[in-house]
Amino acid sequence: MKKVLILAAEGFEDSELIYPYYRMQEAGFGVSIAGIGEKTYKGKSGVQINCDGDIEDFNPKDFAALIIPGGWAPDKLRRSKTVLDFVKEVQKQDKIIAAICHGPQVLISAGVLKNRTLTCVAAIKDDVTNAGAKYLDKSVVVDRNLITSRYPADLPHFCREIVKALK
């Protein structure tokens, strides 16, 4: 069974974590949630999730995909050296990295966006282009192993492309 890891921190965008979590399970993948120190986090709209462990408890080689939800969580995730090292290793192994909304902030800090094409919430468009990426205003953009979307309304397209890439 292919496994997917979803990153979590306080203030995640509720639907951007919950929707992929259940959609990946529905598609037959094993799904784990990794935090950055706490066992439980609350989303922007109040949804509470429990983590299966801290990012340090997981190994990139055990997962076929990494999902980074948006909200305020990416600003916290990007400050963790362990998270950034994990993302760099997933990229090095050419495994799927899927980020939505503000999720690409983590990819900016990990230094993995140079010469890539992606989308994100418009608020960080300048940040991704300054990191060396090409920005497209589309519901979903797939660039090799990188899958990105803009906001919650794009979740059906986002998850469809993740599932397609994993099959």
Side-chain angles (χ1 to χ4, degrees), residues 6-9 11-24 31 33 41-49 67-73 98-102 149-159 162:
I6 301 176
L7 296 181
F12 62 87
E13 179 60 47
D14 304 56
S15 61
E16 294 172 359
L17 189 149
I18 299 302
Y19 189 112
Y21 178 79
Y22 287 111
R23 183 63 191 93
M24 296 306 115
V31 184
I33 299 174
Y41 294 104
K42 191 179 283 188
K44 286 172 53 180
S45 298
V47 171
Q48 188 168 308
I49 57 103
I67 299 176
I68 308 169
W72 301 314
I100 185 167
C101 195
H102 285 79
S149 282
R150 302 169 299 188
Y151 36 71
D154 296 334
L155 280 164
H157 308 279
F158 181 65
C159 289
I162 297 168

Side-chain angles (χ1 to χ4, degrees), residues 1-162:
M1 172 189 297
K2 290 184 179 177
K3 294 171 28 177
V4 176
L5 186 67
I6 301 176
L7 296 181
E10 194 67 21
F12 62 87
E13 179 60 47
D14 304 56
S15 61
E16 294 172 359
L17 189 149
I18 299 302
Y19 189 112
Y21 178 79
Y22 287 111
R23 183 63 191 93
M24 296 306 115
Q25 287 183 352
E26 179 183 60
F29 307 121
V31 184
S32 298
I33 299 174
I36 52 170
E38 303 298 323
K39 296 270 185 213
T40 304
Y41 294 104
K42 191 179 283 188
K44 286 172 53 180
S45 298
V47 171
Q48 188 168 308
I49 57 103
N50 295 317
C51 293
D52 298 300
D54 192 82
I55 187 66
E56 295 173 355
D57 301 329
F58 298 98
N59 188 325
K61 72 178 180 182
D62 296 333
F63 295 91
L66 175 67
I67 299 176
I68 308 169
W72 301 314
D75 190 48
K76 295 169 180 65
L77 292 165
R78 73 190 311 188
R79 299 177 209 176
S80 165
K81 181 182 180 324
T82 307
V83 166
L84 299 181
D85 289 345
F86 195 98
V87 169
K88 289 174 190 176
E89 186 57 31
V90 171
Q91 175 59 33
K92 183 178 168 188
Q93 294 177 24
D94 202 33
K95 293 181 177 183
I96 297 163
I97 300 174
I100 185 167
C101 195
H102 285 79
Q105 288 179 315
V106 177
L107 307 179
I108 292 167
S109 294
V112 299
L113 291 184
K114 190 171 172 89
N115 300 318
R116 301 304 299 266
T117 301
L118 68 146
T119 193
C120 58
V121 65
I124 64 166
K125 176 183 105 173
D126 292 342
D127 301 318
V128 299
T129 57
N130 288 335
K134 178 182 177 186
Y135 168 82
L136 299 178
D137 184 16
K138 295 174 70 177
S139 64
V140 65
V141 174
V142 178
D143 179 1
R144 299 186 318 265
N145 68 316
L146 181 62
I147 301 169
T148 53
S149 282
R150 302 169 299 188
Y151 36 71
D154 296 334
L155 280 164
H157 308 279
F158 181 65
C159 289
R160 179 193 66 232
E161 292 299 328
I162 297 168

